[in-house]
Every structure is written in structure tokens, then in C-alpha cells.
Amino acid sequence: MITFILARAENGVIGRDGKLPWHLPADLKRFKALTAGKPMIMGRKTFDSFPAPLPGRRHIVLTRDSDWSAPGAEPAQSVEEALELAGRGDVSVIGGAEVYALFLDRADRIEVTEVHATPEGDALVPAFEGWHEVVRQDMPAEGDRPAYSFVTLGRG
């Protein structure tokens, strides 16, 4: 099963300057729970946004640069190579925007944190057309943190 995992603002923003434009500890905790023990497929910019490889997960990095390498990363040059490296079982696709677009027709489920805000950003993902909501958990705003919703989307 291929699952997208992302946080997306109402205006489609998923990042700004290589970082999340919000700080939601519950979203980070959910990300950790959803990806623990699974291979994660990501683009190089997403990998570079981590201070270090995340423990307990494989980091398969899609890159056009055949000479690229980094400690803790398994480089792949294509969607097929990334999936081959991941092997059988559940795979988490964690971004960025170009990687989501490459895997969209292969995704089985989307776990999205809908951030109820419209921050400025330079990485955007369009709304997911043709998917249906399976589960929604709404969370209120707290202090300077916006309200958000944990949403699971299924095909069809």
C-alpha cells in the first residue's frame, strides 16, 4: 500500500524555504506514528529539510543527480527504482510536491493534516480530486497555532 503523508494549508501550501510554515506538535507526532518502521519515499529537498535521518525508517530519496549521496539515504532515479528499493509492504510517500505528483496515480490512501490557515509558501500541492473522505478529526486552534484536521482520504 502506498500512502501519502502530508500537511497542507487551505491554499495548497505545504512548505516555505524548506520548512513547514506552521508548528503543530500533534501533526509531528502523527507523522512519526504513521511512518514508523516503514520505508519513506521523498525528494532530495524534503530529505535535506531534516536535521538528520529520522530514526526507525528508511529514507529513499528520488533525485535526478546520479552522483548524489548522503548518510542514511538510499538514492533512486525513478519511481520504479524507488518502489523496488522499498520492497513489499507499506510505503509512505512524504513529499515534496513533485514527488506527490509522480506517485499520485499509484497512491492507495492519503493521510493529510488540513491546516486551516493560508500561509505564504513556495511549495504547493493542489487539492486531491477524485478522492473521498474516510475519517476526519477536527482540532481547535491553540494560541498562535491554527486549527487543523486529521483527514484520511481513499480512492473513488
Side-chain angles (χ1 to χ4, degrees):
M1 176 172 291
I2 296 175
T3 302
F4 284 11
I5 301 171
L6 70 151
R8 181 183 175 279
E10 292 171 349
N11 58 356
V13 168
I14 63 168
R16 178 177 60 223
D17 300 326
K19 298 182 176 101
L20 295 173
W22 48 75
H23 179 68
L24 299 171
D27 176 55
L28 299 175
K29 185 177 178 181
R30 182 174 187 252
F31 176 87
K32 182 177 180 179
L34 289 169
T35 61
K38 297 182 179 111
M40 299 184 306
I41 297 175
M42 68 201 78
R44 185 194 46 76
K45 290 178 189 174
T46 298
F47 180 81
D48 288 345
S49 73
F50 298 139
L54 303 174
R57 289 154 271 200
R58 292 175 54 211
H59 296 67
I60 299 169
V61 181
L62 269 174
T63 177
R64 293 179 195 96
D65 182 352
S66 59
D67 295 327
W68 182 86
S69 68
E74 300 174 52
Q77 312 254 264
S78 68
V79 167
E80 291 74 22
E81 185 180 357
L83 290 172
E84 190 175 305
L85 282 170
R88 294 200 174 280
D90 293 344
V91 178
S92 299
V93 174
I94 64 165
E98 289 181 48
V99 175
Y100 292 126
L102 287 171
F103 279 88
L104 187 57
D105 63 337
R106 297 172 187 246
D108 299 296
R109 186 174 72 214
I110 298 173
E111 296 289 351
V112 59
T113 300
E114 293 179 350
V115 180
H116 304 299
T118 54
E120 290 186 22
D122 53 22
L124 294 102
V125 169
F128 295 103
E129 301 291 329
W131 291 77
H132 68 277
E133 192 172 299
V134 177
V135 177
R136 172 179 291 269
Q137 181 183 8
D138 296 323
M139 310 299 276
E142 290 181 27
D144 62 348
R145 294 184 181 133
Y148 55 97
S149 302
F150 294 143
V151 180
T152 301
L153 301 174
R155 281 252 180 228

